[in-house]
Amino acid sequence: MSVGAWIMLAFGCLLLYGGLIICLFIASGARKYTDEDFEIEDENNAVE
Amino acid sequence: MGKKRERWDSRGAFILAAIGSAIGLGNVWRFPYMAYENGGGAFLIPYFVALLTAGIPILILEMALGQRFQGGAPTALRKANKAFEFVGWYAILIASIVTFYYCAIMAWSVNYLVHAFSMKWQGNEEDFFYQEILHLSEGPGQLGGISPALIIGLAVTWFLIYLCVRKGVQSVGKVVLVTVPLPFLLLAILFFRGVTLPGAIDGLSLYLTPDFSKLGDLNVWKAAYGQIFFSLSVGFGIMIAYASFRPKNADVVNNGFITGLANCGTSFFAGFAVFSVLGYMAQQQGVPVTEVVDSGLGLAFVTFPKAIALLPAGAVAIGIIFFLMLLTLGIDSAFSLVEAASTAFSDEIKIKRHTTTVILCVVGFLAGLLFITDGGLYWLDIVDHWVNDYGLILVAFLEVLFLGWFFNLKSLQVQIDEVSEIKAGMWWLIMIKYVATPVLAVILVWGVINDIRNPYGDYDLIWRIIGGWGLIAVLLIASFIISGIQSGKSKEEVSS
């Protein structure tokens, strides 16, 4: 494979998988939702 | 009496379902060829630009809409503005049509999976697909009969879909724990088998070697944006429906990024599996890789079976893995389309979710019979071209146009920024209003002009009208009618 092909391989991996890993890392540290969140929502969205 | 809305078991279940919906057959059979044809590795640049400037912003828009208004596409769009409701119905009708023929492709995959145990296609791949499986007729006017094996395949497909969606997001949330990771595992096996084959490097070189001169070609940029729109499951109302089962204070933006990046990462990865096998096949046949490159149905049902038959060892196992992968890749996308329709109908028409699902599955099976007749492939080709290239793009265009320019999008941005781990900010507003809207308009107009100048396929005008222009026009009129009936009902309810 040409050098250009290897560079594009690294470029694609870095952007797509690197970006995904960062997003998953951010999500892993996120607040966990409790049942209370859902209950409040359900009350707000209850159809009369 | 209050009625509780269904909820996803967890954020993970929602993300997996969204990823499963976005990743489908197109990731394997469309993206690698698009990349090869549009500059090889250089295609990654416009592709990534399209993802960040239009794909992910529209994903976020649909997720935000569903989450804020807690309803399927028609409900959410009506709550945004009564005049927008028809766009929601149009999305649902388009999604339904796509499901009908998507399941026909899955019915073929079911048949191939059975034949993979005996490699029945070996030595005669093209005839096997077009004659033994499809019994292909002379044209769309000759529907002919329906092969019993395909009827069974279609019934199995719809039964599987029913099992997946029978309890709404509760069952979908559990099913995706298997159906999303499984095709990845199978794709990984194909990848490792592919890259260890002689000649694989030639295929990979063709896939990745950049031709930067192509970046100056507008067609390449159009192809990149088109690929992003088609592969992210936007414009079907799926993401709106899925997000409507999330609490209002849940993350939106990061979920959009995760879904978009996972989808595009899978496409990129699938390219390695596909091109390494093509490289091996070319070497075995003593021809350049460019002569064996294929895409779409031809790649999945002719070229790949041919390549599998040439494998030095484990051909049966790889054949089974390949068609099982197609099935598992397709099933999430198929049931997400049904789920989008089921959510819309049960939200609006107030029929029980289970009843709606059963009706949709039965109607889907019956409508899908057209696409497994002897002339079914022609109909699939015609309907797919018009529904995808015009119907879907029109829905996405109307969504971004109405919500970007005739709705207080800023209030939605403020709301999602309050609950999201990553802030959408001005980037999102600018992308929806000034990038996604004009790009979609250009793609739509460009497509129409191109189709008028060079009519699609070799089909007679009558078939292009019935299965193409006529179909998308009828669906648009139907969406106005349904939306009118629904708003009439709402007025009656208010006055009574």
Side-chain angles (χ1 to χ4, degrees):
Chain A
M1 278 205 314
S2 65
V3 176
W6 284 108
I7 290 171
M8 293 323 289
L9 171 64
F11 173 77
C13 290
L14 192 71
L15 290 183
L16 295 172
Y17 306 125
L20 183 60
I21 288 166
I22 291 169
C23 291
L24 288 173
F25 178 75
I26 293 169
S28 69
R31 177 174 74 93
K32 298 283 179 282
Y33 294 97
T34 60
D35 288 343
E36 208 172 294
D37 285 308
F38 291 87
E39 280 160 19
I40 292 166
E41 279 301 311
D42 287 333
E43 281 166 22
N44 291 342
N45 295 314
V47 178
E48 292 302 316
Chain B
M1 188 62 191
K3 184 189 163 192
K4 279 189 174 180
R5 191 166 184 82
E6 292 173 69
R7 295 288 173 205
W8 292 102
D9 284 342
S10 64
R11 179 184 183 180
F14 165 72
I15 292 177
L16 276 179
I19 291 173
S21 167
I23 298 172
L25 303 174
N27 295 65
V28 173
W29 77 33
R30 199 167 189 267
F31 174 81
Y33 184 80
M34 290 291 277
Y36 152 73
E37 217 185 25
N38 293 288
F43 183 69
L44 286 173
I45 294 170
Y47 185 65
F48 200 72
V49 169
L51 176 69
L52 286 183
T53 58
I56 290 176
I58 298 178
L59 260 181
I60 293 170
L61 177 69
E62 291 204 345
M63 287 178 176
L65 206 61
Q67 200 165 296
R68 173 165 170 178
F69 295 115
Q70 299 284 299
T75 313
L77 281 155
R78 189 190 60 240
K79 284 182 179 175
N81 187 319
K82 277 181 186 169
F84 303 167
E85 184 179 344
F86 82 94
V87 181
W89 284 113
Y90 197 41
I92 296 305
L93 295 177
I94 292 284
S96 305
I97 300 288
V98 171
T99 324
F100 300 157
Y101 68 76
Y102 204 81
C103 288
I105 299 172
M106 290 176 65
W108 304 342
S109 304
V110 170
N111 276 259
Y112 263 84
L113 181 61
V114 173
H115 293 305
F117 287 89
S118 58
M119 296 277 291
K120 212 176 165 190
W121 58 74
Q122 201 164 11
N124 204 15
E125 291 80 8
E126 210 153 324
D127 276 353
F128 181 77
F129 178 54
Y130 293 110
Q131 301 311 322
E132 284 198 44
I133 295 287
L134 301 184
H135 302 280
L136 193 63
S137 66
E138 295 292 311
Q142 293 179 16
L143 287 183
I146 306 177
S147 146
L150 289 181
I151 296 179
I152 294 169
L154 191 65
V156 167
T157 303
W158 275 103
F159 183 64
L160 288 174
I161 291 171
Y162 165 74
L163 289 181
C164 295
V165 296
R166 72 190 191 286
K167 288 184 182 167
V169 291
Q170 288 302 312
S171 54
V172 168
K174 289 180 178 64
V175 166
V176 292
L177 296 176
V178 177
T179 56
V180 176
L182 184 61
F184 279 108
L185 180 71
L186 300 173
L187 191 60
I189 295 172
L190 285 176
F191 166 81
F192 285 112
R193 185 69 195 105
V195 295
T196 51
L197 287 167
I201 200 78
D202 299 332
L204 294 179
S205 185
L206 194 69
Y207 174 48
L208 290 170
T209 300
D211 176 3
F212 290 109
S213 67
K214 289 258 186 183
L215 295 183
D217 183 353
L218 273 181
N219 280 303
V220 171
W221 288 86
K222 179 188 167 266
Y225 276 92
Q227 176 62 24
I228 284 292
F229 289 129
F230 295 136
S231 73
L232 284 177
S233 282
V234 291
F236 292 122
I238 297 169
M239 296 304 168
I240 299 177
Y242 273 4
S244 75
F245 302 112
R246 295 272 290 152
K248 277 186 183 175
N249 57 352
D251 176 274
V252 175
V253 182
N254 199 16
N255 288 348
F257 271 94
I258 292 172
T259 307
L261 288 166
N263 172 67
C264 295
T266 307
S267 295
F268 186 51
F269 185 57
F272 291 90
V274 169
F275 272 85
S276 57
V277 172
L278 292 179
Y280 167 74
M281 185 180 166
Q283 196 195 58
Q284 292 299 303
Q285 295 182 339
V287 295
V289 188
T290 47
E291 277 191 27
V292 297
V293 175
D294 204 351
S295 71
L297 299 175
L299 175 76
F301 296 106
V302 179
T303 309
F304 233 85
K306 202 181 277 184
I308 290 168
L310 291 170
L311 289 175
V316 171
I318 294 295
I320 293 167
I321 287 171
F322 178 71
F323 288 107
L324 191 60
M325 182 194 72
L326 286 191
L327 264 181
T328 49
L329 273 179
I331 193 93
D332 309 280
S333 305
F335 70 63
S336 68
L337 290 161
V338 175
E339 191 64 11
S342 168
T343 304
F345 285 113
S346 55
D347 279 351
E348 286 293 310
I349 301 174
K350 311 293 179 203
I351 305 173
K352 273 186 181 174
R353 277 270 275 166
H354 185 256
T355 313
T356 316
T357 304
V358 172
I359 293 171
L360 283 171
C361 289
V362 172
V363 171
F365 170 74
L366 294 173
L369 290 173
L370 169 70
F371 300 104
I372 57 166
T373 58
D374 295 351
L377 181 63
Y378 302 112
W379 283 98
L380 194 151
D381 186 39
I382 296 168
V383 172
D384 176 57
H385 174 72
W386 266 272
V387 163
N388 255 322
D389 288 14
Y390 300 110
L392 182 64
I393 295 290
L394 184 60
V395 170
F397 169 68
L398 292 175
E399 250 179 37
V400 292
L401 177 75
F402 288 168
L403 294 164
W405 292 90
F406 303 101
F407 172 76
N408 186 359
L409 198 61
K410 177 77 184 163
S411 70
L412 196 57
Q413 177 249 314
V414 170
Q415 192 177 14
I416 60 174
D417 275 357
E418 275 174 15
V419 295
S420 295
E421 293 146 6
I422 301 171
K423 306 299 169 208
M426 284 304 288
W427 159 79
W428 182 64
L429 293 176
I430 292 169
M431 292 307 142
I432 293 291
K433 288 181 81 164
Y434 302 107
V435 179
T437 311
V439 164
L440 281 162
V442 168
I443 291 179
L444 201 58
V445 174
W446 194 325
V448 173
I449 293 170
N450 202 33
D451 243 313
I452 292 169
R453 280 187 184 163
N454 311 299
Y456 181 74
D458 253 349
Y459 306 108
D460 290 341
L461 181 65
I462 181 77
W463 307 126
R464 279 186 277 126
I465 288 175
I466 294 174
W469 300 116
L471 177 69
I472 55 169
V474 166
L475 293 180
L476 189 59
I477 294 165
S479 62
F480 276 114
I481 293 170
I482 301 171
S483 148
I485 293 170
Q486 286 305 110
S487 52
K489 271 188 190 172
S490 309
K491 277 179 195 166
E492 276 175 24
E493 279 169 19
V494 169
S495 60
S496 65

